[in-house]
Amino acid sequence: MRIVIAGGHGQIALRLERLLHARGDEVAGIVRRPEQAGDLLAAGAEPVVCDLESATVGEVARHLEGADAAVFAAGAGPGSGAERKETVDRGAATLFADAAEAAGVRRFLVISAMGADREPPAGTDPVFAAYLRAKGAADADVRARAGLDWTILRPGRLTNEPGTERVRLEESTGRGDVTRDDVAAVLVALLDEPKTAGRTLELIGGDVPVADAVRDAASS
């Protein structure tokens, strides 16, 4: 397959690129800064420099031409304010979905966040609340699109511990930790399982092997 990943320099994206490259897939990662290109090349991915906060749908669609799948892994990141949560976590996700439809790329995966469907509780940090609202708006936009075979993945609290290859993947898991390695492994398995299209799934660490967890999610 050829897979294009938005936010190609993110911690999960780099892990995903390594996994896909290792099994022989062709991977391109969209990055904002040219100096990030070397890390993508080291991961086996083609770097594509494109700022999703300023690019047009047509510009992004050209990078998606010929792809079999698209993965939205971009985010404004720690230290960014509420405004960039809106322009990246919502705006760039919507742009990327528009571009995927324009390029005829149906398979579309999104890395989202737990709690994105609910109004943040009172007392939530204002920037984090803006992040959750932006993620929720982006997810709602993607789920309304008949032109995409989308799957939305909502991991729990991310850690950098070594992956276990064992997870809990369900519509509702409750809170928990999950390694970035295991998130990347689940994304690979989701790309291979078209029956997970149209599903919003939560992911935490668990006892079920990744392949079995994705197969169970596809059939539930």
Side-chain angles (χ1 to χ4, degrees):
M1 290 194 293
R2 175 174 171 81
I3 300 102
V4 179
I5 303 171
H9 194 257
Q11 293 187 66
I12 293 172
L14 286 168
R15 287 167 166 82
L16 176 59
E17 288 155 5
R18 293 186 194 104
L19 292 176
L20 293 171
H21 173 73
R23 71 176 198 168
D25 288 324
E26 182 181 343
V27 193
I30 296 177
V31 296
R32 188 165 57 93
R33 301 200 302 270
E35 60 267 26
Q36 297 171 330
D39 291 336
L40 270 72
L41 290 169
E46 169 197 349
V48 176
V49 179
C50 177
D51 187 348
L52 296 178
E53 289 180 272
S54 60
T56 67
V57 171
E59 288 168 344
V60 180
R62 284 194 289 274
H63 299 309
L64 284 160
E65 288 176 1
D68 298 289
V71 180
F72 186 79
S80 60
E83 182 179 346
R84 290 204 70 227
K85 307 304 184 190
E86 182 67 15
T87 58
V88 179
D89 293 284
R90 186 199 61 77
T94 300
L95 174 75
F96 199 55
D98 287 340
E101 287 188 315
V105 181
R106 290 199 61 93
R107 192 69 175 112
F108 194 85
L109 270 56
V110 177
I111 303 175
S112 183
M114 283 191 180
D117 277 340
R118 301 184 294 275
E119 179 62 18
T124 301
D125 173 78
V127 174
F128 187 64
Y131 166 75
L132 290 175
R133 292 188 186 104
K135 280 293 191 186
D139 291 355
D141 178 270
V142 168
R143 286 188 293 211
R145 294 172 184 261
L148 297 177
D149 296 327
W150 53 267
T151 303
I152 295 170
L153 184 65
R154 292 177 167 171
R157 192 180 75 87
L158 298 168
T159 77
N160 286 325
E161 297 298 317
T164 66
E165 291 287 328
R166 291 180 177 273
V167 298
R168 182 178 175 190
L169 180 70
E170 300 169 10
E171 287 187 1
S172 179
T173 61
R175 298 286 178 175
D177 293 352
V178 64
T179 72
R180 288 180 171 88
D181 286 347
D182 287 335
V183 176
V186 167
L187 288 167
V188 172
L190 289 172
L191 286 168
D192 290 341
E193 181 46 87
K195 291 181 181 177
T196 58
R199 304 292 301 279
T200 301
L201 299 167
E202 294 185 348
L203 173 67
I204 58 174
D207 300 320
V208 181
V210 166
D212 293 341
V214 170
R215 189 179 307 113
D216 291 346
S219 60
S220 64

